[in-house]
Amino acid sequence: MVLLSCSVTEVPPVAEKGQLIAVNYLKISNHVIQLSGDWEYYPGLLFTPSELPEIKSIREPHYFKFPGIWTKSFLDKGFLAGDGYATFHLELNHGLKGIPLSIKVPEMESAYSLFVDGEKLSSNGVVSASYQTGIPEYRPQIIDFIPKENQTNFLLQISNYHHRKGGPAQLITLGRTSDIHKQYEFQIFRDMLLVGSILFMGLYHIFLYWNRKKDPFTYWFALTCIFVALRVFITGNKYLVQLYPNLPWEIHLKLSYLSFFFITPIFARYVFLLFKPYFSRRVYELLKYVGYAFCFIVLVTRSSFYTYLMVPFQIFTLFGALYTLVVLIRAIRDVQADSIIFLISFVVFVASFVNDILVNNLIINSPLTIHFGIFMMFFVQSIYIARNFSKGFVEAENLAIELSEKNQTLQKVQNQITILNERLETRVKEKTIELQSKLDQITKDMKLAKSIIQSVTKVPEMEPYLNVDILYKPTADVGGDIFFVKRIQDFYYRFFLGDATGHGLQAALYSMMIQSEFERVSAVAMRPNDLLFYMNQHFYDKNADLQIYFPALVMDFDFHQNILRYAGGGVQNQIIMKKNSEPTILENTGPIIGILEHYRYGIFETKVESGDRIFLFTDGLFEELNEEDGMQAWDELLSVIRSTNELSFQEIIPSVQTMLFQKMNKISWKDDSTLIVIEVV
């Protein structure tokens, strides 16, 4: 532990005078960097990248510490303190030419447009030089791009007429595509775990209150949990906006403020009911009515006014927290049960809350800790309430004698149930005959669906360019895996592999929908990533009704140029076995189909030559090897594929199938599994 604590952590570089040099820092594959420091700053100007040289020739840039806000004093400009517009510029030297990169762009205050190397890749709302045409929006985004040079220029336009804070109040993060997406997925997992845990606590205590209204504090604790879970869901990565993209910005912001403002009076009620002898009713009434007054102001005013309430309300909340600490100290002095545990959890929460207030107001620069403080406090509060309820079980033991006297009554009821069971047997026989008839009809439908799927998955003749062999193992007559092979031209072939939801008729219907859309867009999609883009947009538009999400990959072979092009959405890594060389891993270039609107997928290109072998497969094949350890499963699958290097093409599929069964130590598949082996002739 001492040695670990003494290890030196490399400090990420920051921008100086509009330039950020991060070549050495970003050459480490898992490093991501925050684009902080001094950006070039052009207040009162909105211009495009093409106009930047002309602007620089006539005007020296200011420098703006990023993140930050341009908000002036309230005393100087009143409720217009955050209004304005500006353009920011940064040149990043990363040394990662041709390597897929991603940037995570949070919301800006309160509309922005981001240009990367002259191309507009991201925006929220409408940036404008006037209040009448400016439109605010909060929608954090992850943008993927491939730099054409070792330097990348960022030009950021921001305008604000709707919030007390104006400017780039949050950090933009850049890194390799896989690292940024992994970081974002971890944040989603953390937030959803926190929301689920706290929401479950709330629902559990609602149930307790429903069954025991004698203890009303459980209701107020449950209500606090629900509002805290709602706030975590609304803020941060803005999951509410991701779920309801058309939600107006004003409503979203009101919900964000209300979910915070309601917590103080509701939680004050909970503490008041628990520690009535020590909590002054006058102080409680003050916390309640002032808290609800803040909420009312948010409801009836516009954002340009009520956003100024945040700092006063934070001070008001800290006052309530300090008074609660005094109450807890009094309870500890009188040796009230479990008051020390309550105090410890509350101190942790207050410390994390104060830290986040300082971070959000750009006073200090440190990680946000409120997630951990909230979970710690509410987890301990649940234990505190549970201990109080456990005392009630002592009373339940006294009911055992009364329950024994009820046994005779239950015996009579049991006799009546026996008579009813006899009647039910007759009904069951009748229903069995009816169900058998419906089962026969379903079986016929399944056979028809199977024949349809077989007809659309036929492989066309591809000589003299490719050899193709397929291992297809559905767990039912019709599985969820679906593949298509299409000859676009005599020298151009396209492979599609996806994993539709479910099995049986559901999978058949989804597969036919996917096949229909594949045929439609193949005529216009010149590249694999274009095809995934069109399919993603199609299924995203239908998602509100059908909720169809599926991973898919597209691989094109252009033998006019001997080029392989690949794009993957939400699939596991694929493998290219180049002749007499180590395998090449094909990684995802985007998320699963149907989940993000207007998502531009990346593309991977490489030259192919005779003897190259490509292995495309679904997650069923991957997960069969090891359901618990994904890394071990990947190593085992890669080992199996490597072992086929010296085999003839016709021997690959039988050999892979045999080795998989040996490694799985079983003779049946638990999930749909598909393996497509392609050899360049």
Side-chain angles (χ1 to χ4, degrees):
M1 292 297 292
V2 174
L3 293 176
L4 289 174
S5 64
C6 294
S7 61
V8 179
T9 302
E10 185 176 358
V11 178
V14 296
E16 296 180 1
K17 294 186 176 180
Q19 291 191 338
L20 176 55
I21 301 175
V23 177
N24 293 332
Y25 186 79
L26 289 176
K27 69 182 180 181
I28 301 175
S29 61
N30 62 345
H31 272 186
V32 298
I33 190 169
Q34 295 176 332
L35 305 185
S36 61
D38 297 327
W39 287 48
E40 291 180 7
Y41 176 45
Y42 300 89
L45 288 178
L46 294 176
F47 55 86
T48 61
S50 61
E51 299 170 331
L52 179 61
E54 181 181 352
I55 296 296
K56 282 190 172 183
S57 67
I58 61 176
R59 178 173 175 175
E60 287 292 325
H62 300 281
Y63 294 100
F64 190 93
K65 189 170 183 59
F66 204 104
I69 56 174
W70 63 53
T71 303
K72 296 182 179 179
S73 170
F74 179 85
L75 299 177
D76 293 336
K77 297 191 67 178
F79 292 105
L80 303 178
D83 287 10
Y85 55 93
T87 302
F88 303 80
H89 175 255
L90 175 71
E91 180 178 332
L92 171 63
N93 190 344
H94 48 68
L96 299 176
K97 176 182 178 181
I99 296 177
L101 300 179
S102 294
I103 50 177
K104 182 181 179 185
V105 188
E107 74 271 14
M108 300 292 175
E109 305 298 342
S110 56
Y112 78 88
S113 293
L114 177 63
F115 296 82
V116 179
D117 286 334
E119 182 180 357
K120 184 177 178 180
L121 294 186
S122 175
S123 66
N124 273 185
V126 176
V127 178
S128 175
S130 68
Y131 169 83
Q132 289 76 14
T133 55
I135 299 176
E137 184 181 19
Y138 284 166
R139 193 186 305 275
Q141 300 182 53
I142 293 180
I143 308 302
D144 302 331
F145 70 100
I146 300 178
K148 297 179 181 179
E149 302 295 340
N150 286 321
Q151 298 86 24
T152 296
N153 283 281
F154 298 91
L155 189 138
L156 180 63
Q157 300 174 346
I158 300 180
S159 68
N160 174 65
Y161 306 99
H162 301 82
H163 199 280
R164 68 180 177 89
K165 295 191 296 186
Q170 298 193 53
L171 285 165
I172 298 175
T173 305
L174 177 141
R176 289 170 175 81
T177 296
S178 59
D179 296 329
I180 293 295
H181 282 277
K182 286 179 182 177
Q183 186 183 77
Y184 180 64
E185 290 167 0
F186 172 77
Q187 291 174 353
I188 294 176
F189 172 78
R190 179 200 64 191
D191 291 345
M192 291 304 101
L193 181 62
L194 182 64
V195 169
S197 301
I198 296 177
L199 188 60
F200 177 81
M201 293 179 198
L203 296 177
Y204 172 74
H205 288 92
I206 284 284
F207 177 79
L208 289 180
Y209 173 74
W210 185 268
N211 289 275
R212 184 178 172 83
K213 294 183 173 60
K214 183 180 178 181
D215 297 314
F217 60 86
T218 57
Y219 168 79
W220 293 97
F221 177 74
L223 204 58
T224 306
C225 289
I226 292 172
F227 271 100
V228 169
L230 178 64
R231 175 159 181 80
V232 175
F233 190 76
I234 293 174
T235 58
N237 285 311
K238 313 294 183 186
Y239 301 111
L240 182 63
V241 178
Q242 302 292 343
L243 189 61
Y244 299 101
N246 296 323
L247 184 70
W249 180 85
E250 186 74 30
I251 294 178
H252 171 254
L253 192 65
K254 282 184 183 291
L255 290 175
S256 175
Y257 274 65
L258 289 173
S259 64
F260 176 59
F261 286 3
F262 269 115
I263 292 174
T264 296
I266 292 174
F267 188 76
R269 178 67 176 174
Y270 164 64
V271 179
F272 173 74
L273 292 175
L274 280 180
F275 301 96
K276 265 189 177 181
Y278 313 100
F279 206 117
S280 168
R281 174 169 287 276
R282 291 185 177 179
V283 175
Y284 163 68
E285 296 291 338
L286 174 67
L287 293 173
K288 179 177 71 172
Y289 290 114
V290 173
Y292 289 147
F294 274 93
C295 297
F296 178 78
I297 295 173
V298 171
L299 284 172
V300 299
T301 61
R302 301 181 62 177
S303 60
S304 56
F305 178 83
Y306 67 74
T307 52
Y308 286 88
L309 300 179
M310 179 57 75
V311 173
F313 189 82
Q314 289 172 343
I315 297 172
F316 168 74
T317 302
L318 286 176
F319 163 79
L322 292 175
Y323 182 78
T324 301
L325 290 175
V326 173
V327 170
L328 294 176
I329 292 173
R330 291 176 181 174
I332 293 173
R333 182 191 60 193
D334 292 347
V335 198
Q336 181 165 329
D338 300 325
S339 54
I340 295 179
I341 298 177
F342 194 110
L343 175 65
I344 294 173
S345 66
F346 190 77
V347 168
V348 172
F349 169 75
V350 171
S352 64
F353 177 73
V354 172
N355 174 79
D356 283 19
I357 289 177
L358 298 177
V359 172
N360 289 328
N361 287 283
L362 303 177
I363 298 175
I364 64 172
N365 185 16
S366 69
L368 297 174
T369 58
I370 193 65
H371 294 78
F372 308 103
I374 288 173
F375 182 79
M376 176 69 178
M377 185 186 70
F378 283 94
F379 178 76
V380 174
Q381 297 301 313
S382 296
I383 295 176
Y384 179 86
I385 294 175
R387 286 172 63 90
N388 288 336
F389 269 88
S390 66
K391 299 175 183 178
F393 287 108
V394 176
E395 300 177 3
E397 294 176 356
N398 298 328
L399 298 175
I401 298 175
E402 182 181 351
L403 290 175
S404 64
E405 296 174 354
K406 298 292 184 180
N407 284 337
Q408 295 179 354
T409 304
L410 290 175
Q411 185 62 45
K412 295 178 181 179
V413 174
Q414 185 176 3
N415 294 336
Q416 295 175 357
I417 292 175
T418 301
I419 297 173
L420 291 174
N421 285 337
E422 293 175 355
R423 296 176 182 174
L424 285 174
E425 288 179 2
T426 303
R427 295 284 294 171
V428 168
K429 290 179 182 179
E430 295 173 353
K431 288 295 182 182
T432 300
I433 296 173
E434 181 182 348
L435 290 174
Q436 184 61 46
S437 174
K438 293 182 179 179
L439 180 61
D440 294 340
Q441 182 61 44
I442 291 173
T443 302
K444 293 179 182 179
D445 293 342
M446 288 295 296
K447 290 181 179 179
L448 176 60
K450 181 178 180 181
S451 64
I452 293 174
I453 295 303
Q454 290 175 345
S455 67
V456 300
T457 56
K458 290 182 179 179
V459 179
E461 182 63 40
M462 287 179 282
E463 293 183 354
Y465 299 109
L466 296 173
N467 291 326
V468 179
D469 199 2
I470 298 174
L471 172 64
Y472 180 58
K473 288 289 183 181
T475 56
D477 287 342
V478 178
D481 289 356
I482 183 71
F483 63 88
F484 314 115
V485 182
K486 186 175 180 65
R487 181 169 60 188
I488 307 299
Q489 299 180 28
D490 290 340
F491 57 87
Y492 201 104
Y493 298 89
R494 174 164 289 167
F495 290 76
F496 178 92
L497 178 60
D499 188 355
T501 303
H503 304 281
L505 287 176
Q506 179 190 11
L509 291 173
Y510 285 173
S511 297
M512 286 186 283
M513 292 177 64
I514 294 171
Q515 192 270 341
S516 174
E517 183 63 15
F518 170 79
E519 292 292 339
R520 186 182 71 84
V521 301
S522 282
V524 296
M526 302 302 296
R527 300 185 303 172
N529 58 327
D530 294 332
L531 189 142
L532 287 185
F533 170 79
Y534 293 137
M535 294 190 74
N536 174 73
Q537 194 58 38
H538 172 81
F539 284 102
Y540 182 90
D541 293 338
K542 301 295 183 182
N543 186 48
D545 298 324
L546 301 179
Q547 295 186 344
I548 300 177
Y549 311 104
F550 60 93
L553 64 87
V554 182
M555 180 173 287
D556 288 2
F557 290 89
D558 182 357
F559 289 101
H560 187 73
Q561 304 180 54
N562 287 333
I563 288 180
L564 177 152
R565 300 183 178 93
Y566 170 83
V571 296
Q572 61 288 329
N573 294 341
Q574 308 295 313
I575 300 172
I576 299 179
M577 296 296 294
K578 303 292 285 186
K579 189 175 182 180
N580 301 324
S581 67
E582 285 297 309
T584 300
I585 305 303
L586 300 177
E587 297 182 347
N588 267 325
T589 61
I592 63 176
I593 305 301
I595 196 169
L596 291 180
E597 185 179 12
H598 299 308
Y599 188 88
R600 288 290 181 179
Y601 289 80
I603 190 170
F604 172 84
E605 295 186 0
T606 185
K607 287 284 187 178
V608 293
E609 58 184 10
S610 178
D612 290 351
R613 291 174 177 175
I614 298 93
F615 295 79
L616 307 178
F617 47 88
T618 59
D619 59 355
L621 184 80
F622 183 78
E623 294 169 354
E624 288 291 339
L625 290 170
N626 194 319
E627 300 176 7
E628 298 179 355
D629 190 338
M631 290 302 298
Q632 183 178 347
W634 169 257
D635 293 339
E636 292 179 358
L637 179 61
L638 190 58
S639 174
V640 169
I641 291 175
R642 279 176 168 166
S643 67
T644 64
N645 279 346
E646 304 301 325
L647 299 178
S648 66
F649 181 75
Q650 292 76 14
E651 296 175 311
I652 293 176
I653 289 291
S655 176
V656 169
Q657 186 171 0
T658 301
M659 287 187 284
L660 286 177
F661 278 135
Q662 291 174 351
K663 287 181 175 293
M664 291 187 296
N665 194 25
K666 53 188 175 182
I667 59 174
S668 63
W669 307 83
K670 294 177 63 178
D671 192 9
D672 300 326
S673 301
T674 302
L675 170 64
I676 302 176
V677 181
I678 307 168
E679 181 180 59
V680 180
V681 179

